[in-house]
Amino acid sequence: EPEVTQTPSHQVTQMGQEVILRCVPISNHLYFYWYRQILGQKVEFLVSFYNNEISEKSEIFDDQFSVERPDGSNFTLKIRSTKLEDSAMYFCASSESRAGEQYFGPGTRLTVT
Amino acid sequence: AQSVTQLGSHVSVSEGALVLLRCNYSSSVPPYLFWYVQYPNQGLQLLLKYTSAATLVKGINGFEAEFKKSETSFHLTKPSAHMSDAAEYFCAVSDMGYSSASKIIFGSGTRLSIRP
């Protein structure tokens, strides 16, 4: 069964460093999303992406964040200058259509020290 | 704006007992409602979803949920708990198809513990 994959599973970085989290959505899906979950808290929407542009972003998704689909398979989330409070589990999701079911990847745990 | 409220951050039941996890939603448009399960150190797995068809929705692992518009509720139930049901459960809402984006809004989660 097709699935969303994410790499790395765990990333440790120092405050102020740039990180790129990678996702490979399901191949025929057209809508892509990033969510994050701070330890012990709920899952929060960050951004949705369609047709090579951001559809919607949350208040969390400030200028430090960017997303890109650099090729036909990857979908990336970049944090330019990480802060301690960026430590969280980041989930990628994809869907075939705007109203279609979103399939979540296993997540990348980002630890900022 | 849409939101969900999960009543009870932690629920503990005995193995074989009824599981009831409560969720109330708020939405200005007909909502799509979901229950997700998250096992320790794993991702999110969809248990079931309501998309305006039948109000009683059956999902995986014996779970079901009933959409009650009059009560704005979407409680999750399972007749008989199993040890393997111990996990974090998230209720979620979306306005898929009504706005420019299909973001999912999650509740704060309920941790389900099963007593032997």
Side-chain angles (χ1 to χ4, degrees), chain A residues 25-38:
Chain A
I26 294 173
S27 61
N28 64 332
H29 286 188
L30 301 175
Y31 293 78
F32 313 108
Y33 313 84
W34 282 101
Y35 295 81
R36 80 170 186 191
Q37 183 183 30
I38 294 172

Side-chain angles (χ1 to χ4, degrees), chain B residues 49-103:
Chain B
K49 62 181 178 182
Y50 166 78
T51 58
S52 76
T55 56
L56 183 62
V57 182
K58 293 188 184 298
I60 61 172
N61 301 339
F63 284 94
E64 62 182 38
E66 186 172 7
F67 173 72
K68 290 187 177 180
K69 185 178 179 180
S70 61
E71 299 177 7
T72 61
S73 68
F74 190 59
H75 301 331
L76 180 71
T77 60
K78 181 174 180 177
S80 177
H82 192 271
M83 296 300 291
S84 61
D85 294 327
E88 188 89 18
Y89 291 80
F90 293 95
C91 181
V93 64
S94 173
D95 67 351
M96 288 184 179
Y98 285 89
S99 71
S100 61
S102 305
K103 64 179 183 285

